[in-house]
Amino acid sequence: MPNQVSMGALMTCTFGAAPSALVVLPKNKVLCEGPPAANIMDHVPLMNIMPFAVCSSPANPVVAAATAAALGVLTPMPCIPATSAPWVPGAPTVLIANMPALDNISKCMCNWGGVIAFSSAGTVKTMIP
């Protein structure tokens, strides 16, 4: 069974160099094993999703420009997440602030082609049916 995701959950991006922790503001007014619980709308770049060190996606315009300047040698550049769509699929049977709860099997797509997934949910006891 999937676990509920809460503040501090660790995420990885397929084009990122290091993991990042999810930031969940207490606006949902639901706590999960202490920290605030997340829903699928907690996907805002630089507010909920922090950078993954450097980005190596050739679809990222900054990486493409640096790679072109380096005569075609892939040049990773600082990550600035670009997540315009919510996490999918979430847990449709459990609502937090009238939106599906975020579980640890959900994914979020970055506009530059990366897939953001959870390596740790931030909770260990709270399961979502």
Side-chain angles (χ1 to χ4, degrees), residues 13 16 46 50-55 60 77-81:
C13 176
L46 303 178
M50 295 297 135
F52 297 93
V54 294
C55 178
N60 184 334
M77 293 301 288
C79 169
I80 307 259

Side-chain angles (χ1 to χ4, degrees), residues 22-48:
L22 181 70
V23 176
V24 181
L25 301 177
K27 64 182 168 76
N28 296 339
K29 299 179 181 168
V30 176
L31 301 180
C32 186
E33 297 178 29
N39 68 23
I40 63 166
M41 297 308 289
D42 292 319
H43 69 90
V44 180
L46 303 178
M47 186 169 82
N48 301 117

